[in-house]
């Protein structure tokens, strides 16, 4: 009878072990299925991200090409404008210099022409062209005064510093650069 009872207990333990293994296998299959689903979702998301990145890269390249064309055009017009300013400055300087030279002496006329020539020469430099572009866009005053949404001034090391800060939405704003 004891052998029979031990046999029944052993069979019951074996059955219990079999049920636990079956449950473990079922759980493992469920985990594998979930993992396969997650892997597929990650793959699909990765493919979507690659497509979006490719589209964004293409759009940024088109925008870059358009801005390069616009910059070339702006530089050409700025160069022509600066050339005309220099011509007018030389002509005006010469005319007013000669006229003033007769009235107040040649040194005064020469100085006026020289000042106009210096102003026209600065307008031809990259800094002068950028300043002209900023002024045309209405951004020069905002830049000089550190005004505009998303920009703030602070005192650091005894000097005033202008720097960008994010607004409540996390957006950053600034000035139009020519």
């Amino acid at each position: 009878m004891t052998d029979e009872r031990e046999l029944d207990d052993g069979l019951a333990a074996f059955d219990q072990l079999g049920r636990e293994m079956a449950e473990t296998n079922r759980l493992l299959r469920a985990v594998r299925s979930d993992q396969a689903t997650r892997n597929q979702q990650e793959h699909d998301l990765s493919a979507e991200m690659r497509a979006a990145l490719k589209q964004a890269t293409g759009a940024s390249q088109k925008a870059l090409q358009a801005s390069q064309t616009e910059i070339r055009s702006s530089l050409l017009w700025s160069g022509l404008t600066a050339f005309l300013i220099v011509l007018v400055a030389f002509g005006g300087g010469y005319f007013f210099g000669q006229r003033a030279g007769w009235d107040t002496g040649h040194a005064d006329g020469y100085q006026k022409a020289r000042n106009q020539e210096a102003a026209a020469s600065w307008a031809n430099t990259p800094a002068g062209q950028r300043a002209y572009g900023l002024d045309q866009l209405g951004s020069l005053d905002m830049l000089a005064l550190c005004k505009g949404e998303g920009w703030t001034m602070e005192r650091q090391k005894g000097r005033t510093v202008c720097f960008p800060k994010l607004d409540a939405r996390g957006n950053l704003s600034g000035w139009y650069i020519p």
Side-chain angles (χ1 to χ4, degrees):
M1 177 109 169
T2 306
D3 287 340
E4 216 173 276
R5 178 173 244 166
E6 287 178 6
L7 183 61
D8 285 343
D9 288 344
L11 286 175
F14 189 69
D15 280 345
Q16 179 64 29
L17 180 62
R19 282 191 298 275
E20 288 174 3
M21 286 180 68
E23 180 63 18
T24 301
N25 284 336
R26 185 189 68 74
L27 289 174
L28 281 173
R29 282 192 302 275
V31 166
R32 286 184 186 135
S33 174
D34 288 347
Q35 185 63 41
T37 302
R38 263 188 258 122
N39 286 346
Q40 183 61 41
Q41 289 171 345
E42 287 176 4
H43 181 268
D44 293 344
L45 182 60
S46 177
E48 289 173 11
M49 288 175 68
R50 281 193 302 271
L53 182 61
K54 184 177 181 180
Q55 184 180 8
T57 302
S60 67
Q61 286 176 344
K62 286 179 184 177
L64 178 62
Q65 289 172 350
S67 67
Q68 287 174 340
T69 301
E70 187 175 324
I71 287 170
R72 286 185 193 111
S73 175
S74 294
L75 286 176
L76 177 64
W77 283 111
S78 296
L80 288 174
T81 303
F83 179 71
L84 288 175
I85 289 171
V86 168
L87 284 178
V88 169
F90 275 139
Y94 180 77
F95 174 76
F96 290 114
Q98 287 289 13
R99 185 171 172 200
W102 289 110
D103 295 338
T104 59
H106 291 285
D108 185 279
Y110 176 74
Q111 185 61 39
K112 285 182 181 178
R114 196 167 150 208
N115 289 343
Q116 289 177 354
E117 180 182 352
S121 293
W122 180 80
N124 242 352
T125 66
Q129 290 172 0
R130 282 191 302 271
Y132 178 76
L134 284 170
D135 188 45
Q136 291 298 310
L137 292 171
S139 301
L140 189 59
D141 290 336
M142 291 177 70
L143 180 63
L145 299 173
C146 191
K147 298 288 182 192
E149 188 176 311
W151 291 83
T152 185
M153 286 192 299
E154 280 190 16
R155 297 283 295 169
Q156 293 181 358
K157 298 181 182 178
R159 296 181 71 193
T160 302
V161 179
C162 179
F163 62 93
K165 67 176 183 175
L166 297 177
D167 65 9
R169 293 184 191 162
N171 295 326
L172 186 67
S173 61
W175 301 275
Y176 290 104
I177 301 295

